[in-house]
Amino acid sequence: MSKSFSVSTPALFSFELCMDFLRRSPKELLHRCDEDGVVKALHLQGEDILFRVTQSGKDQLSIRIVEGTLTPERRSALSEYVNQWFDLRTDLNPFYKSVKQDPLLGELVRKYRGYRIVGQPDLYESLVWAVLGQQINLSFAYTLKGRFVETYGRKLHHDGQDHYIFPSFGDVAQLDPLHLLPLQFSRQKAQYTVNISKAFAEGQVQPHLLSKLPLAEAKEELMRIKGVGNWTANYALMKTFRYPDAFPLEDAGLHNAIRNRMGLVQKPTLGRVKSLFKKYRGWEAYATLYLWRSL
DNA sequence: CGCCAGGTTAGAG
DNA sequence: CTCTAACATGGC
């Protein structure tokens, strides 16, 4: 069987802009970018595989298995993964039309035409990553994630390079939070990380059930975990299940972007952000994405 | 005594 | 309901 196959891409999709996002930190261990594409390791149906995504033609992505076998089941799972990763099923036309004249977003959607939310298909990884990023700069967050992944994740060697797979919640659930302190986790981050892992391991959070709930209820479920507040729940639901109306309202970066674009001296209040976002109803996640991009 | 960063919790008022 | 301290450390 062939080692590669194609996935077709919609109108208004820019692989390059999504690649820019994937390239944003040199400390990222969970995928590796080069000039043409991205390589990622994944645990899929009982086997660790390594695959590479590149653009092939105007409206297609090519997926090639670098290590592992490509069965028909795996092919369809990978195709689904890539669709979800790059959000290929969303039609951006209605959004672009509605913000054409918008003072905050009009210019941004023209400048970053085709940019899509690069998702995080794994809810567990989304939540842990959000906790690691709480209240610290992104660079340090990547340092913490790198140590966590190197210490508790799995490693795939290929062609002289290491590729990492995110730790499993079952393994992390058994850790005493104290074990994470040497990685320079704060006590809080350590406790929150183990809390999340336990919630998954003990079945309190079941992603496939959660994804069927309305946003408010899904958020409520996630926020029962100590360490997952409104910001984190929104962030994870936006990145993993792509609730179009989920967005981290309290996000400092979002506030800075609004301040910059509106020429404000101070960051907007929560009420102001809420009211500004009313006109983006149903596209809050994408409005947030483009504002983040402007930073 | 420098301030803010892709926040959250517990406790006080 | 709103306000505050504590959490740990890097980057500018």
Side-chain angles (χ1 to χ4, degrees):
Chain A
M1 174 178 271
S2 163
K3 284 272 197 178
S4 54
F5 64 97
S6 295
V7 167
S8 55
T9 56
L12 299 176
F13 170 65
S14 166
F15 185 59
E16 265 318 307
L17 288 173
C18 292
M19 284 299 301
D20 285 352
F21 174 82
L22 290 175
R23 277 192 265 262
R24 75 186 163 149
S25 173
K27 297 178 185 171
E28 179 60 71
L29 295 183
L30 298 176
H31 57 256
R32 189 185 300 276
C33 299
D34 56 40
E35 284 186 7
D36 305 321
V38 53
V39 178
K40 184 174 177 64
L42 212 56
H43 187 76
L44 205 62
Q45 299 163 343
E47 193 192 2
D48 290 342
I49 63 159
L50 192 64
F51 69 102
R52 174 174 161 81
V53 181
T54 52
Q55 191 155 35
S56 61
K58 189 177 176 304
D59 50 10
Q60 285 196 327
L61 294 180
S62 163
I63 291 120
R64 186 169 61 86
I65 302 290
V66 180
E67 173 125 2
T69 50
L70 182 58
T71 63
E73 297 75 38
R74 233 170 247 154
R75 176 183 162 135
S76 97
L78 260 185
S79 170
E80 180 57 34
Y81 186 93
V82 170
N83 264 284
Q84 146 71 353
W85 197 11
F86 294 102
D87 197 22
L88 300 181
R89 296 205 179 95
T90 296
D91 177 9
L92 287 180
N93 272 302
F95 174 58
Y96 280 15
K97 277 187 187 131
S98 72
V99 299
K100 210 173 202 170
Q101 310 289 339
D102 189 74
L104 264 183
L105 291 178
E107 201 179 305
L108 292 175
V109 298
R110 277 187 287 282
K111 186 168 177 189
Y112 301 114
R113 187 180 165 80
Y115 183 38
R116 284 167 187 259
I117 299 174
V118 176
Q120 175 41 262
D122 177 26
L123 180 65
Y124 172 63
E125 185 180 327
S126 264
L127 286 169
V128 172
W129 171 235
V131 161
L132 295 187
Q134 286 173 0
Q135 186 54 22
I136 59 175
N137 63 72
L138 264 191
S139 169
F140 185 47
Y142 273 106
T143 300
L144 294 179
K145 183 171 84 162
R147 289 175 185 151
F148 180 61
V149 167
E150 281 175 329
T151 309
Y152 297 106
R154 270 209 312 289
K155 181 160 65 174
L156 209 75
H157 292 281
H158 178 83
D159 209 10
Q161 289 189 312
D162 293 331
H163 301 271
Y164 289 88
I165 296 178
F166 201 72
S168 73
F169 51 76
D171 291 345
V172 183
Q174 294 176 41
L175 294 178
D176 185 311
L178 291 175
H179 289 130
L180 295 170
L181 300 186
L183 309 185
Q184 280 183 294
F185 279 45
S186 63
R187 276 170 232 279
Q188 266 186 341
K189 284 194 199 306
Q191 186 63 61
Y192 294 172
T193 300
V194 173
N195 288 350
I196 291 168
S197 307
K198 282 186 169 159
F200 277 73
E202 292 165 8
Q204 291 144 29
V205 170
Q206 298 187 51
H208 65 285
L209 296 182
L210 211 60
S211 66
K212 297 192 174 75
L213 299 177
L215 175 63
E217 291 174 34
K219 258 166 64 173
E220 214 171 300
E221 285 298 311
L222 289 181
M223 288 171 65
R224 288 167 56 195
I225 306 172
K226 287 254 176 299
V228 177
N230 194 51
W231 178 88
T232 301
N234 270 307
Y235 175 88
L237 290 171
M238 166 183 168
K239 295 285 276 190
T240 298
F241 294 135
R242 302 187 169 289
Y243 284 79
D245 47 347
F247 75 107
L249 178 63
E250 312 89 333
D251 185 81
L254 177 64
H255 296 181
N256 285 331
I258 292 172
R259 184 195 57 196
N260 293 346
R261 300 208 54 80
M262 296 181 68
L264 307 174
V265 180
Q266 294 197 323
K267 292 198 280 192
T269 61
L270 278 186
R272 187 93 175 88
V273 179
K274 235 183 240 178
S275 123
L276 275 172
F277 263 65
K278 273 181 193 157
K279 57 176 179 285
Y280 308 136
R281 192 175 300 283
W283 290 98
E284 287 92 339
Y286 264 95
T288 303
L289 178 79
Y290 282 85
L291 286 165
W292 274 341
R293 181 78 196 206
S294 75
L295 291 171

